[in-house]
Each structure stands twice: as C-alpha cells, then as structure tokens.
Amino acid sequence: MVYRIHFTVQDLARTRVAEAPMPLHELELAARALQSRSQPARLDAWRHHARAQLSAQARMVLTLMPAVGYSPGFLSPTKVGAVEDLLEQVRSTPRERVRASLLETAHHHPSLPEWTRHLADDASLFAELCTGLSHLHACLLGPHWDQFTEHLAADRTLRLQQLLTGGVEQLLTQANPQWMRWNPPVLEVRMVNGADRDLYLEGEGFLFIPSMFCTRAIVTDGRPVSVSYPAGQDQRPRELTTSASAPGQARAPGVSTLLGRTRTTVLTTIAEHQGCSTKELAARAGVAPASASEHASVLREAGLIHSLRHRNSVLHSLTPLGLALLNTPEGG
C-alpha cells in the first residue's frame, strides 16, 4: 500500500531538503529504532548502551513513540533549531493541542497506559514527560550529535548535486528509490503499515528530511508535507557500532598527518568548494587525481572531511573539525 503525494507546479518549485538537522524529529526516529529488532549488526551496540542509560521519565516517552505506528505530533516537531529551544516549545504546548493529539494517538493505539489520559490536565505529569524527552535526547542522540550533523550535511551535499545535475526530478527519483517512486506528478511512498492514501500538497511545497535512523520512508502530514529518508545509505557512520567515546578522543590522533603543504591545499580547496568531486578537487588543487584521492583518504580518516559516493563520483565536504583546523594559525 502507498501514500500518493500529488504535486502541482508550485509544489515542485517549493520542493527542498531540510537545511539542518531536526533534533526532536530525529529523536522520534531514534526512539523507534531503539525498540525495533531491525539492523542488529549496525545498531545493537548503540541499543545496548542506550538502554542501560534510560531514566524512568525517558521510558514514559518511549511509551508514546512505538517502533511502528502513530505518535503524538507535539513531542517531535519537524523543526530546525537548538534542542534546548525545541524542548522549551514542547513544554509550552497548549493543553488543547496535547489533549487532541493524545486522543488521535489513542485511536490508533487503544492500549495506551492509563496515565496518558491525565497528561493534558496534570501539569506535574506533563513536566515529567518533558523531562523524559530531554533525558531521551541526551541518551540516544547527545553522545553522537556532532558526527550525525556531519553525516547529514554530507547527504545534503549529495542532494544539492542531484538538483544541480538533474533538477527536482532527479532528487525525487534518487533520494530513496527503494521506498519512493516518482510517477509525475505523483510521488508514491511505500508504507509498511498498510496505509493507502492520497495527499494533495496544494501549492505549499514539499520537504525532504535526511535521517540517521530512518530505514525506509516516513511521511509526516504537516504543512509542508515531509518525507524522512535514510541519509547516505551507502556510507553509514561508524559511531553507532560502538559506544560513545570521550569528546575528542576519536578525532585527535589523525590531525598530525595534515601538517603538510599539499594536504593543507587539498583541505582548503574542499573548504572553498564544498561537495566537489575527486576529479574537480585534483584540478583545483593542482595535483593528479590519484594524489587527490590519496590525500582525501587521509583527511577523511583524520575526521577533517566527509566523502559520499554519488554514481561514479566521490563528493567531498569539510567537517566542523576541518573548519576548526583551518581557522587556527597552524592550519593556515
């Protein structure tokens, strides 16, 4: 069964990719992944570490974010921003909206715990839930957020490349071909829960949201309508396969390899031409393609750039650590 999302010319003109991570939306997807049994090789170490850290309040939130199915929209807004600001917005949710959202959730999940019936009217209970949301973010996403941000930025670079080379059609076709099919003017999204529905964008546009924890395509029926999809499906980060390390511990050892003129030139070239291919990097840095590829590999191992394969090319982008290095006197 599928969601059929109907585009107008105005919607195609307003189709875009999220410009930055959406912390609470990503948190909902992480909460679902925590409770799922899929991807054991990639996620089991992360799951084991996270479950050991969960507070009672965080487990309250998990009750409302099942592995599959409906969850209250006020808990996971599709908004960009600092997590502290977004959490404050959740705390300020009007009680009428909380009540309506919980009624809708109960319609899809009749077995919700009894305490959820009192959530809209019990201020202290609602405060506990919001505290749990904060705890859950710190547990599931906090230790890896910098690395996730880098990976999502690399995926956005890939989507920009698709827009430049093939326009919106290529973006709609290639963002998530396993779960989405572009049949102009309709985007068909395959649904695992059996839902079958037509959505009309009505000129309000469409938003793609790359995600670290999404394994398929998840439609959020808001304004604008959005679809979350797996970011960089061919290059998953290694952070999820091990427990979190101390800040800076995993990044520091490779930096000394960059103290050379040619690699500094390569790094600077990537900074000035984000998303450049290895061939373009070689031409702009004045080195042979094989040399550019070798230097990029060293920079990537040091955590200074992120590389993502697109068709027959590899696209390179600067990470925050790479930018920090270039901004120091030693880096220039």
Side-chain angles (χ1 to χ4, degrees), residues 91-303:
R91 293 187 185 97
S92 303
T93 305
R95 293 300 176 260
E96 294 77 11
R97 188 188 171 201
V98 174
R99 188 176 294 107
S101 187
L102 287 171
L103 284 174
E104 178 70 13
T105 304
H107 174 73
H108 293 276
H109 301 290
S111 59
L112 284 178
E114 177 66 23
W115 61 263
T116 60
R117 299 176 183 270
H118 310 288
L119 195 58
D121 302 307
D122 189 328
S124 62
L125 183 62
F126 188 75
E128 273 201 75
L129 183 72
C130 291
T131 297
L133 195 63
S134 178
H135 288 177
L136 195 64
H137 182 275
C139 179
L140 302 190
L141 301 183
H144 312 288
W145 191 245
D146 288 345
Q147 295 93 326
F148 288 174
T149 300
E150 293 173 17
H151 198 72
L152 293 172
D155 184 87
R156 285 192 297 277
T157 299
L158 172 59
R159 305 310 159 196
L160 177 60
Q161 187 77 10
Q162 290 173 344
L163 281 169
L164 288 172
T165 58
V168 175
E169 182 177 31
Q170 187 174 120
L171 176 64
L172 291 170
T173 301
Q174 296 188 13
N176 191 3
Q178 182 180 356
W179 292 90
M180 298 188 296
R181 186 179 68 169
W182 176 235
N183 185 16
V186 178
L187 182 66
E188 299 174 348
V189 182
R190 187 157 57 94
M191 306 297 291
V192 295
N193 61 2
D196 189 275
R197 184 180 177 189
D198 287 276
L199 288 176
Y200 294 87
L201 302 180
E202 299 178 343
E204 296 195 24
F206 180 78
L207 180 66
F208 275 116
I209 305 176
S211 166
M212 296 304 307
F213 287 93
C214 184
T215 58
R216 44 189 177 89
I218 297 179
V219 179
T220 301
D221 185 6
R223 281 296 178 262
V225 171
S226 64
V227 169
S228 301
Y229 66 91
Q233 299 178 65
D234 59 338
Q235 294 191 30
R236 292 293 187 177
R238 292 168 295 180
E239 288 79 13
L240 291 178
T241 62
T242 58
S243 57
S245 57
Q249 180 178 330
R251 294 294 189 175
V255 174
S256 62
T257 64
L258 301 175
L259 299 179
R261 181 176 176 181
T262 303
R263 282 188 189 137
T264 300
T265 299
V266 170
L267 184 63
T268 302
T269 301
I270 293 172
E272 294 174 349
H273 304 279
Q274 294 274 27
C276 62
S277 66
T278 303
K279 182 178 179 180
E280 181 184 0
L281 174 61
R284 292 184 180 278
V287 297
S291 179
S293 178
E294 179 184 349
H295 289 306
S297 296
V298 174
L299 295 173
R300 184 168 54 253
E301 287 299 317

Side-chain angles (χ1 to χ4, degrees), residues 34 43-54 139 240 243:
L34 180 71
L43 293 180
D44 272 1
W46 169 78
R47 287 182 178 124
H48 178 77
H49 184 265
R51 285 169 181 156
Q53 309 299 317
L54 291 174
C139 179
L240 291 178
S243 57

